[in-house]
């Protein structure tokens, strides 16, 4: 997802280093040190404009949340929303590519990975770029703790089916699976911006939870 270029974004982000981590790869002491506690850590890979991760942080103060986004022009919107929400103490953001997780997190450091409305990369030759491809699953497996989970939501049926197959073939254990999340009227479901948009159009939202068998 790209937004209109914001030439002021870098300076604005630098002014709010208390919530947007400028050099996440230098977190050698671990993220619990930054948060100042040993609470569970949940990350969202591809946090977009931040509605989901901020909503989760506000709803669950006993969990630490980290939103990861690749583009300045997108994560700066999430930063603005976090500021408007009074910068929840259990929330951090940073700009990075999902492929760089091993440079940023230690092994067994994360308790949950959220993947929400990821780019479906519909062309077959781009399958390795999908965030549920086995290449990325290996990264998540490394950073997740024992019993750590992946929670995945999308409006794209093809990507959802690909993800089910990819995770199953990788040896993951599938838990909750929904072909129409909103039809189930789950009270604590926090929506992303895309989820609100698509659900209002009547499109089904697909969701799954999975964990690695060896964890």
């Amino acid at each position: 997802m790209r937004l209109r270029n914001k030439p002021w974004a870098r300076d604005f982000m630098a002014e709010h280093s208390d919530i947007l981590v400028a050099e996440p790869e230098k977190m050698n002491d671990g993220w619990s040190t930054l948060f100042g506690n040993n609470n569970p850590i949940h990350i969202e890979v591809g946090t977009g404009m931040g509605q989901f991760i901020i909503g989760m942080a506000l709803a669950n103060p006993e969990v630490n949340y980290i939103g990861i986004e690749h583009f300045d022009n997108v994560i700066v919107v999430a930063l603005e929303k976090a500021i408007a929400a009074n910068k929840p103490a259990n929330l951090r953001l940073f700009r990075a590519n999902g492929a760089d997780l091993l440079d940023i997190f230690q092994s067994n450091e994360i308790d949950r990975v959220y993947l929400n409305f990821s780019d479906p990369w519909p062309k077959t030759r781009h399958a390795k770029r999908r965030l549920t491809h086995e290449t990325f699953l290996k990264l998540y497996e490394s950073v997740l703790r024992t019993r750590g989970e992946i929670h995945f939501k999308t409006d794209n049926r093809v990507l959802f089916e690909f993800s089910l197959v990819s995770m199953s073939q990788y040896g993951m254990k599938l838990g909750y699976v929904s072909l129409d999340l909103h039809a189930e009227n789950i009270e604590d479901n926090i929506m992303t911006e895309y989820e609100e948009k698509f659900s209002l159009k009547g499109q089904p939202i697909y969701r799954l939870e999975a964990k690695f068998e060896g964890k």
Side-chain angles (χ1 to χ4, degrees):
M1 176 176 56
R2 294 179 182 270
L3 296 179
R4 182 181 302 172
N5 183 49
K6 296 179 174 63
W8 49 268
R10 286 289 177 96
D11 290 339
F12 183 74
M13 290 189 290
E15 294 170 1
H16 298 280
S17 58
D18 54 336
I19 191 167
L20 195 146
V21 180
E23 297 179 298
E25 67 280 359
K26 293 186 177 180
M27 289 298 301
N28 298 325
D29 292 333
W31 289 86
S32 292
T33 301
L34 179 64
F35 284 109
N37 58 58
N38 291 314
N39 292 342
I41 299 175
H42 296 184
I43 67 174
E44 183 183 19
V45 181
T47 204
M49 293 183 284
Q51 179 169 296
F52 174 83
I53 201 74
I54 295 168
M56 292 295 287
L58 292 172
N60 304 287
E62 73 285 355
V63 177
N64 296 324
Y65 290 92
I66 300 173
I68 305 166
E69 174 56 48
H70 185 53
F71 300 107
D72 287 349
N73 294 332
V74 180
I75 199 168
V76 75
V77 178
L79 175 58
E80 290 178 312
K81 290 183 179 180
I83 294 169
N86 295 317
K87 295 184 178 181
N90 60 329
L91 174 69
R92 294 295 186 277
L93 305 169
F94 64 78
R95 190 184 69 80
N97 192 306
D100 299 329
L101 292 182
L102 296 185
D103 297 326
I104 297 168
F105 298 106
Q106 300 175 7
S107 296
N108 305 308
E109 187 173 19
I110 303 305
D111 295 271
R112 185 174 297 170
V113 174
Y114 292 103
L115 304 172
N116 292 317
F117 299 86
S118 310
D119 191 328
W121 292 103
K123 295 182 179 179
T124 302
R125 69 175 184 271
H126 292 153
K128 290 185 178 181
R129 300 184 183 183
R130 298 169 189 164
L131 292 184
T132 51
H133 186 272
E134 64 174 335
T135 303
F136 285 97
L137 297 181
K138 290 179 181 178
L139 300 181
Y140 309 145
E141 183 178 24
S142 179
V143 301
L144 278 169
R145 300 183 195 272
T146 301
R147 295 183 295 279
E149 298 178 333
I150 294 177
H151 290 196
F152 173 69
K153 286 196 287 189
T154 183
D155 67 306
N156 189 293
R157 180 66 178 254
V158 174
L159 178 61
F160 190 71
E161 293 174 350
F162 170 87
S163 302
L164 288 171
V165 172
S166 179
M167 292 180 182
S168 296
Q169 290 181 342
Y170 194 83
M172 297 184 70
K173 181 178 180 180
L174 296 172
Y176 176 84
V177 176
S178 176
L179 299 179
D180 193 349
L181 176 64
H182 288 212
E184 299 176 17
N185 296 317
I186 298 177
E187 294 183 0
D188 60 351
N189 177 53
I190 292 179
M191 292 192 285
T192 74
E193 293 88 352
Y194 275 134
E195 186 173 354
E196 285 187 343
K197 176 182 176 181
F198 295 142
S199 61
L200 287 173
K201 293 181 178 180
Q203 295 178 229
I205 303 301
Y206 308 103
R207 185 179 185 275
L208 67 82
E209 298 176 8
K211 63 182 179 180
F212 296 96
E213 285 280 36
K215 289 268 187 174

